[in-house]
Amino acid sequence: MDQPHVNKKDDESLRHKAEEQQKSRKTETNKMVSEDEMLKLIHELEVHQIELEMQNAELIQAKENAKLAEKKHTELFDFAPSGYIYLTPSGDISELNFMAARMLGKERSNLLKKKFESFISKKSRPLFNQFFTDVFSKHEKQSCEVSITTEDNASLLVTINGVEYQLNEYCFLTLTDITDQVQSKIALHESEEKYHINKNDLKKAQSVAHIGNWKWDINTEECIWSDEMFQIFGIDKNSFQGKLCDVIPKVAHPDDLHLVLPSKPTESGQNSPVEYRIIMPDKSIRYIWSEEGETIYSTNGLPLFFTGIVQDITKYKLTEIELTEAKVTAEKATNLSETAKIKAEHATKIAEEAVKAKQQFLSNMSHEIRTPMNVIIGFTKVMLKTDLTIKQKEYLAAIKMSGDTLIVLINDILDLAKVDAGKMTFNHTPFKMAMSISAMLHLFEPKIQEKNLFLNKEYDRRIPEVLIGDPVRLHQIIINLVSNAVKFTDKGEITVGVHLLNEDNEKVTLEFAVSDTGIGIDEDKLDKIFENFQQAYSGTSSLYGGTGLGLAIVKQFVEMQGGTIHVDSKINIGSTFRFNLDFQKTNREAEYENEIEELDSDIKGLKILVVEDIALNQLLMKTMLEDFGFTCDLAGNGKLAIAKLQTETYDVILMDLQMPEMNGFQATEHIRKIMHSNIPIMALTADVTTVDLAKCTAAGMNDYIAKPVNEKILYNKIAALIKKNIQKKDTPVEQNTIRESQKCIDLEYLIKHTRSNPELMMKMITIYLQQTPPLITTMKLSLEANDWELLYSAVHKLIPSFSIMGINNEFEIMAKQVQEYAQKQLASEKLPKLVLQLETVCKQACKELEVEYDTIKKTLKE
């Protein structure tokens, strides 16, 4: 298989182009970037993504091969007909198969870490110990025959073959039970001596064990074979000429001729058992184990016969070979997997850098395109409110429509990029579902009336009024689906339905359905419409417009929230898109910051500071705010804003993020940390990526609004900030601190669970006194540094001690609130107060526990 390849030249080209684009942004801020260039760069980034996917596929395949090889090795090892055992250098059993466990007469799990020598008979132990030493010292295969005493005191005769394994870390033993062979051999010898050979029983025993025996008459050189010998060698008994020296060379494998019995067996009795291969008449290979027996002498001491036995061990040998091959394959597959893993990690790193470059590029493009679009769309709205001719209104409406279309395209690309990067997050805020759906569908009424369509709304009144979820993402999903329905329907009706599918004490499951009577979708196109840049027909884009991203984003948003989506459609009849989502039930009140409201007379006359470096944007924001009845001051960067705040008082600051000299993040940090001001600050951002929104929160901003600015959303957000600020001023600060005269600990829990053991109580108190002060210090420092992970960890370690030391449950609830803020990385104004209260109660608890410790200690001495 070809290895994945990372094209460094393409990567350098991409980096060079990104740097050139960055330079271009600094020198030509208002210069538009062509869509072709943007798509080309995105294409180059996706090439890296494809390479990574190819390498991932190779890694997965390598891992699968490794798993298969390992599985095969395990099966061969466990169910082999021979006994297999791994011994450590100290002689402990490290691993063994089922056959070895059966030989030793014990469950496999009970044999691990046992001394194998304990199963060797005392008579055979010296021979085994020498064999075991030779395995590790001579670095070659060793053999011996020993007697084994099993768990139930049965005795077995076994041949042990041993070889070192993994550079002397283990010894691998193969155990072959030769009890039947030896007993057959003994029985044969005793029978021949007594001339009472039971031939039928002997044949049966030899057939079962695949063991044959032979006897050579030294005087006549005639070789007498048992019937099993003919079966083993595949020779016709009637054609056998009785000369062993003639038969063996003819059937033995050429490479094993040096191992077979000598041509003149006068040396018999001096050779060790041998294994060799023979070639059968059908060209198949068999493995033979052969051992020469005793010499039979005449009464005057002259040798009469040589004897020996032969066994067909093909079955065992093939299993052993297959096991060895499986081990080698597994090792190779493991090495390949490791190599592929290293390459994949390298490719992942390159791909992550490419994704970062892609994110930065999209972030820059978002800012560069949104900034001029903010001005274009904003002033278009302003001009549409003035006295115009019919033609002028048509021209301006066309400009606004084109601008809105471009903003939708930008939003689609940015949303897709965030999903691809795994940085898409979902809010959990209380909202009114019915009101939210109605307000959203209200946006489509002009277009629906223009096309002379009818809009049906079906809403299940069993749905709870307020639910917790992400209304913004829900709006995006439904807006995409309704937009498609309106776009592809020329006559008939569009139906938007919301139905309750399931409800329990904690959540509801809702089904949303958007149906139309439009052009419909071919059945063979249904599987593709949710893919990126895909539309049902090749001519759809030219006829109806669009990028083919809407449905892809809808599917991602639904599935990332644990829901499902599917479509039913018929050509020229229409389509229905259905999706299910879960929402949490709540008793909290809904937040209305994104709903459309009338101007509130209670908040007129606000003084707003707009911090924005682009003159056109300054003029636009000033125009909008004055329309609301607010007064407006302008500052061109963060430094100028700080200077104004030192002499003027404002109700709200609208802060742009990207500015010269001092940007919005730096200015906000200065206002919060140096000036210690709690004035509401709202970010004006053309870059709505998750990263920058998190930075806004971390810097201390209270909210954000994306460019181009929607004047109604802007007003609602300003109104919400002002109302929250008023509530904070009017609401008295909760006093959860404990007076010094009031004791904050209660040792009832500690006494109960230590059973009044004073030493154990003292030990518990000591641990608390040792761990608590460092945790308090860590908690304070991590809060100052906005190190959310460290803050979460420190508070998490404090919480169990509250119940152990009997501290009021209110403080445990406070600690969990701090954890929640840290987990969500929210720099709330409440957070420093909560941390201070936790510090106070923990310090007082330490003082009280020191007194308790001394009291217990005195009691113990008495």
Side-chain angles (χ1 to χ4, degrees), residues 197-216:
I197 301 175
N198 188 330
K199 293 185 179 180
N200 290 331
D201 290 344
L202 180 61
K203 284 182 181 181
K204 185 176 181 180
Q206 290 186 343
S207 176
V208 170
H210 296 292
I211 297 173
N213 69 289
W214 55 268
K215 182 172 68 174
W216 186 317

Side-chain angles (χ1 to χ4, degrees), residues 746-750 753 768 798-809 812:
D746 181 355
L747 297 185
E748 181 180 350
Y749 179 93
L750 188 63
H753 286 80
Y768 180 86
L798 274 177
I799 288 176
S801 65
F802 289 114
S803 59
I804 294 173
M805 297 303 167
I807 299 172
N808 194 302
N809 186 53
E812 184 173 338

